[in-house]
Amino acid sequence: MTKLLKYQPVVGKNISLTDQTMCRTWTTTDPIMLNQHDPNILIRICRLSICHSDRRVMQGGKDNTLEQKLILGHEAGGFVVDPGPYQNELEPGAKVVLLPHVTCQDNCKYCQNLKQNLCPHMRHLGFHLNGTMSDLIAVPRQCVFPVDDEFPMNALPLVEPLACVLRSLHRLEIKQVMRTLLEDRRLTDTLFTIYGGGPMGCLAALAVKRLWPDLNVKIIEPNDRRRNIIEQSNIPCEVVPQLEKNRQNQISFVATSSLNASIEAVRSASNNGYVILFSGINLYELNPPNKAEQILGESLEEVHRKELSVMEANALGKRVHLVGSSGYNFDDVHKSSIELHRHYEYYNKVQNVEIAGLSSYFAYYKISSKNHRFNIPAIEALMAPNGIDDQLFGPIIAETLKVLIHS
């Protein structure tokens, strides 16, 4: 059962321009205390997207502290309107990606060691601070990543999610894993199994197939509509509703917040196999009736959240490598921007839906023969908290991978 919202998410402007000099009169504050009245850089949002994490915020599945209206969203890009105190680094009109992490920067051991994604003081655009589903947004410097003028506009909201995917794949060190499996004489066809055919699972499949084409990539997705869309989108992988009986995975990638999927990935791992715990588990699923599953779920969530690398025994007593990955750091963003600059035409197939403006009632599907007109703004319909399980909009959301919104 969906939890009551702590606050009502809204879409609109998250600042008020009452001072004609804009950012130049505003002072920099501790980013941990940042709010919409203490901005550093003013950005006009031109492209944005929807992440399932936005729905989890509305479900109460994220650690949110506000009891008021909050603008959602954290995948976006646009142009600098006013660089504030950073006019030596950024010019008005510069094309930028918006990054959602707001950390302490150098006051904790993680930030000091270039592991900003693990900062214990982190706040997040769209979760704790007003987000990107707006015309204008004011953010600290660490949230602004400049790109070249030639960088594809529509690729801007893909930089952050792909950065998270690339981080997880490089943490696994796939080449070394494949060598290990070969030495173990068990590798005839290395299966890379992705649990969850949502946008992040599809993005991970595309990245794996481009970077490691020798891997046999398979997506497990129980929803019929979503499986059909993945196949029609020519995402280079096999898509099945469930893992074949007695099938063992050498490498698994959990791209869903389902506790059952995480447990299944561990239980189906081959001896000395690897499981990437990419997605956090829904908080309301971490208290199942089965005490053993609760303990395992909490353990898996800790591996993900703290980016641990541990060895555990699965249900069959086999040794399993658990590799946690959480968010991104600036190196990952840099790698992602290069990858998308060079290969956006390869990755853009995951953007199968477009909305022409925040207030538009239409969603345009590139593959589905039927575009949709809603009785509410399309962005709100496609952000229905229950996602593919929503009674009214679920079937349409199931046909939606990444939404590209023109602001």
Side-chain angles (χ1 to χ4, degrees):
M1 184 175 182
T2 301
K3 293 186 176 182
L4 295 176
L5 303 183
K6 291 186 175 183
Y7 44 79
Q8 180 61 50
V10 294
V11 175
K13 290 183 175 64
N14 70 350
I15 62 169
S16 297
L17 293 179
T18 57
D19 191 321
Q20 293 300 311
T21 56
M22 294 191 293
C23 296
R24 287 174 171 63
T25 65
W26 295 334
T27 58
T28 304
T29 64
D30 180 346
I32 301 307
M33 301 302 294
L34 182 79
N35 59 48
Q36 63 265 42
H37 304 298
D38 299 309
N40 298 57
I41 300 172
L42 186 63
I43 307 293
R44 180 170 296 283
I45 302 295
C46 294
R47 298 290 189 276
L48 62 146
S49 190
I50 293 173
C51 176
H52 186 61
S53 294
D54 301 322
R55 300 188 186 100
R56 290 173 63 192
V57 171
M58 293 190 285
Q59 289 179 322
K62 287 286 186 179
D63 181 19
N64 312 307
T65 57
L66 295 180
E67 300 286 342
Q68 61 188 37
K69 288 184 178 181
L70 178 76
I71 296 173
L72 297 177
H74 62 273
E75 298 176 352
F79 296 94
V80 173
V81 175
D82 192 305
Y86 301 98
Q87 54 266 44
N88 292 332
E89 302 175 36
L90 296 166
E91 295 182 355
K95 186 183 291 186
V96 298
V97 173
L98 269 295
L99 302 176
H101 294 176
V102 182
T103 70
C104 70
Q105 295 189 280
D106 58 6
N107 294 323
C108 73
K109 64 179 181 179
Y110 297 104
C111 289
Q112 291 168 1
N113 289 285
L114 303 179
K115 296 181 179 180
Q116 303 93 338
N117 57 310
L118 301 181
C119 175
H121 309 295
M122 183 190 297
R123 304 186 82 186
H124 202 287
L125 298 183
F127 298 174
H128 313 103
L129 305 168
N130 276 325
T132 57
M133 292 183 181
S134 57
D135 298 313
L136 293 166
I137 186 170
V139 293
R141 177 66 181 87
Q142 63 177 300
C143 294
V144 180
F145 182 81
V147 293
D148 294 339
D149 291 341
E150 296 78 19
F151 190 87
M153 281 294 297
N154 291 345
L156 292 173
L158 281 182
V159 172
E160 187 266 344
L162 182 60
C164 296
V165 167
L166 293 180
R167 178 173 186 79
S168 64
L169 296 178
H170 288 295
R171 272 186 55 74
L172 181 64
E173 298 179 347
I174 288 179
K175 290 183 179 179
Q176 178 60 42
V177 169
M178 291 177 68
R179 280 197 294 269
T180 300
L181 294 172
L182 279 168
E183 290 170 359
D184 206 19
R185 298 183 180 180
R186 293 183 295 111
L187 180 61
T188 55
D189 182 21
T190 301
L191 183 63
F192 191 104
T193 302
I194 299 173
Y195 285 82
M200 299 307 290
C202 290
L203 203 55
L206 289 170
V208 170
K209 288 302 295 181
R210 207 202 71 74
L211 297 170
W212 297 281
D214 292 335
L215 287 174
N216 176 19
V217 180
K218 176 179 291 189
I219 288 180
I220 298 176
E221 173 50 59
N223 187 280
D224 294 342
R225 286 176 177 263
R226 180 151 285 174
R227 280 202 315 278
N228 291 336
I229 288 298
I230 293 171
E231 291 172 350
Q232 292 178 55
S233 300
N234 294 317
I235 292 174
C237 61
E238 180 185 2
V239 189
V240 297
Q242 59 188 12
L243 190 68
E244 301 93 325
K245 188 176 182 180
N246 298 323
R247 178 73 193 201
Q248 295 184 351
N249 297 316
Q250 288 119 346
I251 308 173
S252 296
F253 185 102
V254 182
T256 169
S257 53
S258 165
L259 172 60
N260 289 334
S262 294
I263 293 176
E264 172 64 21
V266 175
R267 289 178 174 171
S268 64
S270 62
N271 187 43
N272 213 31
Y274 295 79
V275 178
I276 305 174
L277 296 170
F278 175 80
S279 293
I281 299 171
N282 282 327
L283 295 179
Y284 54 81
E285 287 194 35
L286 287 177
N287 190 28
N290 186 313
K291 187 66 175 178
E293 288 190 355
Q294 178 184 353
I295 294 173
L296 177 56
E298 291 173 349
S299 173
L300 296 178
E301 175 68 9
E302 184 177 31
V303 172
H304 157 71
R305 192 65 55 194
K306 295 183 179 180
E307 284 201 334
L308 304 178
S309 294
V310 301
M311 178 77 79
E312 284 196 3
N314 67 7
L316 300 177
K318 297 177 180 178
R319 290 157 47 92
V320 180
H321 301 267
L322 303 181
V323 179
S325 185
S326 180
Y328 63 87
N329 65 23
F330 296 127
D331 285 343
D332 305 314
V333 173
H334 182 66
K335 293 173 184 175
S336 176
S337 67
I338 294 175
E339 180 75 1
L340 286 169
H341 201 167
R342 295 175 178 173
H343 304 286
Y344 173 65
E345 294 302 318
Y346 170 77
Y347 286 98
N348 71 356
K349 64 185 70 177
V350 79
Q351 294 174 315
N352 72 325
V353 182
E354 291 192 19
I355 298 176
L358 290 169
S359 60
S360 173
Y361 282 61
F362 290 89
Y364 302 90
Y365 283 68
K366 296 179 181 178
I367 294 178
S368 176
S369 59
K370 182 181 178 181
N371 293 319
H372 298 285
R373 187 188 192 285
F374 302 97
N375 58 359
I376 58 175
I379 189 174
E380 295 183 24
L382 295 180
M383 282 182 58
N386 288 327
I388 61 175
D389 296 321
D390 185 82
Q391 279 192 326
L392 183 59
F393 300 120
I396 300 172
I397 292 174
E399 296 180 355
T400 303
L401 297 178
K402 270 296 179 193
V403 182
L404 177 64
I405 304 167
H406 301 256
S407 179

